[in-house]
Amino acid sequence: MAGKNYYDLLGVKRDASEREIKQAYRRLARKYHPDVNPGDNSAEAKFKEINEAYEIISDKEKRQKYDKYGDKWQYADQFEQAKQQQSQYRDFNPGGGASYQFTGGDFGDLDGIFAEILGGGRTRTSHRRAQPQRGQDLESPVEVTLEEAYQGTTRTISLQVPEPCPTCRGSGRIQNLPCSTCRGAGMTSSIKRLEVKIPPGVDSGSRVRIAGKGQPGYGGASGDLYLKISVKPHALFERRGDNLHVDVAVPLTVAVLGGEIQVPTPKGKLALKIPEETQNGRVFRLAEQGMPHLGRATRGDILARVNVTLPVKLSEKERELFRRLGEIRPA
Ligand SMILES: [Zn+2]
């Protein structure tokens, strides 16, 4: 949702009343409802956006957070907590020069910093110590090819991690004016890059958990990162569960007399014996040659469907042979 303005989406002013918002939503929802626009993808997308906007703006608490933090409103609680921690940290580190190093290193370091903050707070500013809190889980979409899903792969993903504003050091103000970097919020976010492993066998809709790589906790453990997988469609293979369906061309003579053909698999070709008098559309099962079952050592199958190809550009001799065949086996 980055960059989208919920008020603009609903076509209302920022100070619109609850009633105005509800009216605007109803009008737009009627206009873009999928039942009114069957098959219109852009209307459906718009309908989803409107609903998302309404869900936030119609909720008093969420709307307040959104007004303050914009599209990072979901981090509002974390921002507020981190700000509080930040001020504690300054309390016992008056120099302030080495405060909060959010960049670089691992989230694990962050936990250390927070533990340090809490530890320091215990002796010096115990009256403001916050309860240890586990960090939020994060979700990141990842698109992979079928071959990558077959073999497993790695991705470097970028995560938006909230951090105290470096300009105002989290106070939100500079010489009593709102800080221009964070617009007074005291928090900004940085992009953190992380290399993650995607196991063999993932499918569209798979959620891969990367433990401890979510939002840092405040005294508590970090949240987890979930990779939301989508697998791109493949030109040859149709995936159904962990089975792969593929059409294979079989020349007429091979189908009639028997022979051998090559079947594609995600890791190369496999020879398949075709018995004589094989009919068009017959399906051969290549056991355990399909997609790995996620988290297990076994695999699905490949189902190869025979597509008999008839000869074209016949020579005079071939034409003669077919003519004779036709005489022997009349239709
Ligand atoms: Zn700032």
Side-chain angles (χ1 to χ4, degrees):
M1 278 306 292
K4 283 180 203 161
N5 182 317
Y6 289 147
Y7 291 102
D8 289 350
L9 275 172
L10 292 174
V12 297
K13 292 193 177 120
R14 281 188 87 86
D15 58 359
S17 69
E18 281 174 39
R19 198 163 149 251
E20 286 170 326
I21 289 163
K22 191 177 262 184
Q23 281 173 345
Y25 167 72
R26 285 202 176 140
R27 197 178 56 242
L28 290 167
R30 265 199 300 273
K31 185 172 169 191
Y32 291 106
H33 196 284
D35 289 353
V36 187
N37 304 275
D40 183 344
N41 289 339
S42 68
E44 196 186 327
K46 185 91 181 164
F47 184 69
K48 280 184 187 158
E49 284 183 347
I50 293 160
N51 276 290
E52 187 178 335
Y54 182 65
E55 193 199 315
I56 310 309
I57 301 303
S58 64
D59 181 307
K60 210 169 174 182
E61 196 181 322
K62 287 180 184 170
R63 183 179 177 182
Q64 275 177 2
K65 288 176 181 176
Y66 178 74
D67 287 346
K68 191 161 178 191
Y69 293 105
D71 54 22
K72 296 187 186 67
W73 68 271
Q74 282 164 314
Y75 300 126
D77 292 342
Q78 300 234 348
F79 284 155
E80 297 293 341
Q81 284 242 355
K83 268 166 72 178
Q84 198 185 329
Q85 305 289 355
Q86 172 80 350
S87 64
Q88 278 183 22
Y89 190 49
R90 273 200 309 271
D91 286 349
F92 66 85
N93 184 22
S99 65
Y100 268 124
Q101 293 294 319
F102 265 78
T103 48
D106 193 84
F107 278 0
D109 302 338
L110 260 185
D111 284 342
I113 291 166
F114 281 118
E116 202 181 313
I117 293 163
L118 291 169
R122 196 171 297 135
T123 50
R124 302 213 180 196
T125 55
S126 56
H127 56 288
R128 284 184 64 192
R129 188 155 60 90
Q131 287 294 315
Q133 195 185 14
R134 182 182 180 275
Q136 280 181 11
D137 292 338
L138 293 178
E139 193 175 76
S140 180
V142 173
E143 193 181 50
V144 298
T145 63
L146 188 88
E147 284 84 357
E148 287 174 319
Y150 182 86
Q151 295 215 311
T153 185
T154 60
R155 277 284 189 287
T156 303
I157 59 167
S158 299
L159 293 173
Q160 204 171 42
V161 181
E163 63 177 18
C165 171
T167 310
C168 62
R169 296 224 175 104
S171 67
R173 303 187 84 75
I174 288 184
Q175 292 174 350
N176 238 5
L177 290 170
C179 165
S180 58
T181 306
C182 61
R183 294 199 192 88
M187 296 297 287
T188 57
S189 60
S190 68
I191 302 296
K192 185 180 155 59
R193 290 164 76 79
L194 186 70
E195 186 164 294
V196 293
K197 271 207 175 87
I198 294 155
V202 290
D203 199 353
S204 290
S206 297
R207 273 160 61 88
V208 177
R209 177 171 170 264
I210 313 285
K213 296 295 182 187
Q215 296 269 0
Y218 296 97
S222 291
D224 299 329
L225 169 65
Y226 286 91
L227 308 178
K228 203 176 156 197
I229 306 290
S230 58
V231 181
K232 283 186 218 172
H234 195 275
L236 287 181
F237 300 108
E238 189 202 330
R239 181 173 180 174
R240 292 184 209 160
D242 286 331
N243 289 340
L244 294 175
H245 294 246
V246 62
D247 280 351
V248 284
V250 177
L252 177 65
T253 49
V254 175
V256 173
L257 303 172
E260 202 177 86
I261 57 152
Q262 300 290 312
V263 178
T265 82
K267 61 169 180 188
K269 294 192 176 219
L270 273 180
L272 173 67
K273 221 176 146 202
I274 301 289
E276 60 178 26
E277 295 182 15
T278 290
Q279 300 296 302
N280 191 36
R282 181 167 170 190
V283 174
F284 290 92
R285 182 179 296 267
L286 287 74
E288 298 259 323
Q289 297 294 336
M291 300 299 286
H293 298 308
L294 185 60
R296 284 188 280 153
T298 50
R299 291 174 176 276
D301 304 328
I302 286 183
L303 294 150
R305 186 165 161 270
V306 168
N307 181 21
V308 175
T309 51
L310 302 176
V312 292
K313 294 180 184 164
L314 298 181
S315 67
E316 193 40 51
K317 191 178 176 192
E318 287 167 328
R319 202 175 302 275
E320 177 55 27
L321 287 170
F322 274 107
R323 206 174 285 134
R324 284 175 58 188
L325 182 64
E327 284 165 12
I328 300 163
R329 290 180 74 105

